[in-house]
Amino acid sequence: MQLKDQVAIITGGASQRGIGWATAKRFADEGARIVILDLDAKAAAEAARAIGPAHLGLACDVRDEAACRTAVQQVLETFGRLDILVNNAGVSQSHRLMDSTQADYDIVMDVSVRGAYNMSRAVVPHMRTRRQGAIVCMGSVAAQRGGGILGGPHYTAAKGAIQALAKAMARELAPDGIRANAIAPGMVDTELLVGKIDDAGKRRVAEGIPLGRLATASDIANACLFLASDQSAYITGLVLDVSGGMHIH
Ligand code: NAD
């Protein structure tokens, strides 16, 4: 049980096909108590219940700083501690540079970058007092390659920014015993792809991936567990590619 008694917040974990939920389930299997934060209270609560009765699901729009602080307060009142934050919430769009609008830019940047910034600022004071904590941010292979197959430039920029945020937090927070890392997933078959690519398109993408398939949500969850647990105790500021070789440094 790598996360026995630990408490983990996972943002954007309400979709049971998504990376966040798979990560929540993986962490729970390792003994963690889970808090899922997502836009819809009912969906978040159901997602937590689907993992087990000990877990919590709350509404929180990560773009809203006050909502993030309130959610963290509630977690501390309920569980008395907080060990792990996974900044997973994200919105993907495939519009090309000249086809996207200011509103597209705002939502994509705000959910990923402002959301991770808000949530990290909400958890750090508690983590600092305990001199321990692990933050994992969800980037993307899009940021690593200069554009994904589906993500537009604003999405790519958002994912590059969240990866850079993880690196900067790693450097700043290391003296407080807090580690921060990021994951750069390749293409993962979740709700995020719905309406953007069909099955034939996925097969074509898979043919171009060295490992010959798309990622599963649990491929990413396993990497998240590594970065959140003591298995990676001496790793901070890393962007870990989990892309089947889509990006090789
Ligand atoms: P998903 O759509 O299942 O998950 C995204 C979740 O974020 C949803 O549950 C959504 O409700 C939530 N969310 C959106 N706006 C929010 C807000 N303002 N506040 C709180 N929650 C909000 O898709 P997923 O594929 O599991 O994506 C999870 C993360 O992984 C995202 O950051 C995405 O950019 C990243 N990612 C996905 C892929 C992929 O191919 N699926 C690849 C690379 C990176």
Side-chain angles (χ1 to χ4, degrees):
M1 299 283 251
Q2 292 188 51
L3 304 181
K4 192 169 171 345
D5 298 331
Q6 297 197 24
V7 176
I9 291 182
I10 291 142
T11 69
S15 164
Q16 294 183 34
R17 283 189 58 205
I19 293 169
W21 193 81
T23 301
K25 175 84 175 60
R26 186 76 186 85
F27 284 12
D29 290 345
E30 292 295 334
R33 284 159 296 167
I34 304 300
V35 182
I36 287 176
L37 302 183
D38 211 305
L39 289 173
D40 182 68
K42 193 158 161 271
E46 269 167 22
R49 238 189 334 269
I51 296 171
H55 312 290
L56 196 62
L58 302 172
C60 176
D61 183 336
V62 294
R63 293 170 297 176
D64 178 345
E65 185 181 27
C68 294
R69 280 217 215 95
T70 304
V72 169
Q73 195 53 44
Q74 199 169 335
V75 172
L76 292 175
E77 279 162 17
T78 307
F79 295 117
R81 63 186 278 181
L82 177 53
D83 303 270
I84 298 162
L85 167 66
V86 181
N87 284 314
N88 169 72
V91 171
S92 167
Q93 291 181 352
S94 40
H95 317 311
R96 300 295 108 181
L97 185 65
M98 299 310 292
D99 301 328
S100 55
T101 64
Q102 295 289 318
D104 292 331
Y105 176 91
D106 284 348
I107 189 157
V108 167
M109 288 298 270
D110 275 358
V111 176
S112 270
V113 192
R114 190 187 299 275
Y117 172 82
N118 285 344
M119 281 303 304
S120 302
R121 280 159 51 94
V123 303
V124 159
H126 170 77
M127 288 181 173
R128 267 192 172 136
T129 60
R130 292 180 57 229
R131 301 197 55 76
Q132 73 172 64
I135 299 174
V136 182
C137 293
M138 209 53 74
S140 172
V141 72
Q144 304 291 82
R145 291 174 23 129
I149 291 165
L150 295 178
H154 53 323
Y155 177 76
T156 301
K159 294 285 128 176
I162 194 175
Q163 291 176 187
L165 177 66
K167 290 184 187 183
M169 292 194 297
R171 197 177 288 283
E172 182 178 329
L173 301 174
D176 298 304
I178 302 168
R179 296 183 301 111
N181 292 288
I183 294 177
M187 192 183 284
V188 193
D189 202 358
T190 68
E191 294 293 324
L192 210 78
L193 304 192
V194 173
K196 298 192 182 78
I197 188 168
D198 59 13
D199 285 346
K202 287 178 198 168
R203 276 194 298 276
R204 273 195 303 278
V205 171
E207 280 165 17
I209 297 174
L211 287 181
R213 63 171 177 85
L214 302 195
T216 62
S218 48
D219 289 324
I220 314 305
N222 285 332
C224 244
L225 173 63
F226 171 67
L227 291 177
S229 73
D230 281 348
Q231 295 293 319
S232 61
Y234 198 57
I235 297 177
T236 197
L238 175 71
V239 178
L240 180 61
D241 286 292
V242 187
S243 66
M246 279 175 98
H247 173 73
I248 295 177
H249 289 270

